[in-house]
Amino acid sequence: MNSRITGLVLRQLIPRLFSTAAISGAAVMRSAHSLMVGSAGMRTVPATWVASVRFVGTVPLTTVGGGEVAKKGCATAGGKKEKAVVSYWGMAPAKLFKEDGTEWKWSCFKPWDSYSSNLSIDLEKHHVPITWGDKLARWTVKALRTPTDIFFQRRFGCRAMMLETVAAVPGMVAGMILHLRSLRRFEQSGGWIKVLLEEAENERMHLMTFMEVSQPRWYERALVVTVQGVFFNAYFLAYFLSPKLAHRMVGYLEEEAIHSYTEFLKDIDAGKIENVPAPAIAIDYWRLPPNATLRDVVAVVRADEAHHRDVNHFASDVHYQGHELRELPAPLGYH
């Protein structure tokens, strides 16, 4: 008798209190009833009942147009189905648009990350090695370049791809170490964390661009994995032991990158490499004109490398003069 009364009450209350789109009211009622009466005297908590309570009121819905609701996708004007973001919080990212009204299609960077490169930067600057640390950094970079020249020859598209996978590591490693040091010591970083992470992001965008120009072969991808694994750990150890040496090495690495991209431009001008239209991602990232070509892309990438060269040599000079990076303002916005 008691179980019948309990069941009658639950039939009325459960669908109102615990109804969701994911679990039917009947399933909830049966689960709750089994929870109340148990089995052989044991009180158990069925998974469906727990799920109904856990997710009540959190079923994500995406509003489309005039109030229609879609869970998996929505039809666009052209009849194509567009994926809708299904989130625990029911939130979807806002759509961004370019100045001409077209929708921003890049998810790897946003409009506020784009910029116009400063092509007037001095490409001939060179830090003459004076101390033993400078010479060690210079010799290390020269030693790393030799096998690269042998392997890639003058295939500058593939060389650029390989170079950028390595060049994007130092900024991330240095930014991470400074970030953790700032947390441990309860001190500010002088803006250097942001500068170094921006450098890593910029180098990564170089890679995203050259992936459109040159598709790497399987053995080149394997080489990238190997080199990145070795270089990451070696650079982490170097930066942990001597930041001034690590920054100097990156400064020389960027000098070599400038040389490589200059040779790249020479081959384009000589007709050895076809001056194809610039990838769309490069046009939006560097705010290039719509008719930009591969040569324009290589020129702005080379200018970026010159900026990274100056920033890292400057950071190394700060350490060599007995200061810490946080003591001097970082060159933010150097793009």
Side-chain angles (χ1 to χ4, degrees):
M1 184 69 179
N2 290 337
S3 62
R4 290 182 180 179
I5 296 175
T6 302
L8 181 62
V9 173
L10 290 175
R11 286 190 188 94
Q12 299 296 324
L13 294 180
I14 292 299
R16 299 186 182 185
L17 295 178
F18 300 106
S19 62
T20 68
I23 301 175
S24 67
V28 173
M29 184 273 295
R30 288 193 299 270
S31 301
H33 181 68
S34 63
L35 172 67
M36 296 296 291
V37 300
S39 175
M42 298 293 291
R43 294 183 179 270
T44 59
V45 184
T48 53
W49 189 85
V50 174
S52 69
V53 177
R54 172 67 180 82
F55 296 109
V56 63
T58 64
V59 179
L61 300 175
T62 305
T63 303
V64 181
E68 264 185 61
V69 175
K71 293 179 185 176
K72 292 185 178 178
C74 56
T76 59
K80 283 179 67 177
K81 277 195 172 183
E82 184 178 311
K83 287 185 179 179
V85 176
V86 179
S87 162
Y88 175 87
W89 303 107
M91 298 174 64
K95 289 186 177 181
L96 301 174
F97 297 88
K98 295 196 285 188
E99 294 177 355
D100 59 2
T102 58
E103 186 176 348
W104 186 263
K105 64 177 181 178
W106 308 111
S107 58
C108 54
F109 73 102
K110 298 303 179 185
W112 47 84
D113 297 321
S114 62
Y115 66 98
S116 297
S117 184
N118 176 19
L119 298 176
S120 64
I121 190 168
D122 185 2
L123 300 172
E124 303 298 327
K125 286 169 65 176
H126 166 64
H127 184 278
V128 178
I130 300 174
T131 67
W132 71 269
D134 290 351
K135 294 176 181 178
L136 176 61
R138 181 68 170 159
W139 292 336
T140 301
V141 172
K142 285 293 186 182
L144 291 174
R145 177 172 178 167
T146 301
T148 304
D149 289 341
I150 296 173
F151 184 81
F152 289 107
Q153 301 293 321
R154 295 190 70 82
R155 292 185 294 122
F156 288 107
C158 295
R159 179 194 287 260
M161 177 272 301
M162 180 67 183
L163 176 66
E164 300 304 342
T165 60
V166 173
V169 170
M172 181 60 66
V173 170
M176 176 183 66
I177 291 177
L178 291 182
H179 174 72
L180 296 177
R181 182 179 301 168
S182 176
L183 297 178
R184 289 196 311 270
R185 298 182 179 179
F186 306 98
E187 62 187 21
Q188 49 86 18
S189 70
W192 279 94
I193 296 174
K194 182 175 178 62
V195 164
L196 293 169
L197 294 183
E198 279 184 351
E199 176 185 314
E201 175 66 9
N202 181 245
E203 297 284 10
R204 190 185 66 84
M205 287 304 301
H206 292 176
L207 175 63
M208 296 298 102
T209 298
F210 284 112
M211 286 292 291
E212 299 291 326
V213 176
S214 176
Q215 296 296 328
R217 301 177 178 89
W218 69 266
Y219 57 85
E220 291 171 338
R221 290 177 178 269
L223 181 63
V224 166
V225 173
T226 304
V227 172
Q228 188 183 85
V230 174
F231 185 73
F232 176 90
N233 289 284
Y235 190 80
F236 180 90
L237 181 61
Y239 199 94
F240 186 79
L241 296 175
S242 177
K244 59 185 176 184
L245 175 63
H247 279 296
R248 188 69 77 202
M249 187 169 66
V250 176
Y252 286 129
L253 183 67
E254 301 294 0
E255 289 184 15
E256 295 297 330
I258 294 170
H259 174 75
S260 294
Y261 284 119
T262 299
E263 293 298 312
F264 198 164
L265 289 173
K266 287 180 180 178
D267 277 10
I268 293 176
D269 293 338
K272 297 178 181 178
I273 298 176
E274 184 181 358
N275 191 22
V276 297
I281 190 173
I283 292 175
D284 284 341
Y285 182 66
W286 283 285
R287 300 177 190 169
L288 297 173
N291 60 345
T293 62
L294 176 61
R295 193 188 193 287
D296 299 318
V297 174
V298 175
V300 294
V301 170
R302 183 178 62 170
D304 287 349
E305 306 295 6
H307 286 290
H308 301 327
R309 170 204 63 192
D310 293 347
V311 169
N312 280 278
H313 278 316
F314 172 61
S316 184
D317 289 342
V318 170
H319 284 291
Y320 270 111
Q321 294 172 19
H323 300 285
E324 292 190 21
L325 292 181
R326 63 184 180 85
E327 297 176 19
L328 295 172
L332 288 167
Y334 59 91
H335 285 316

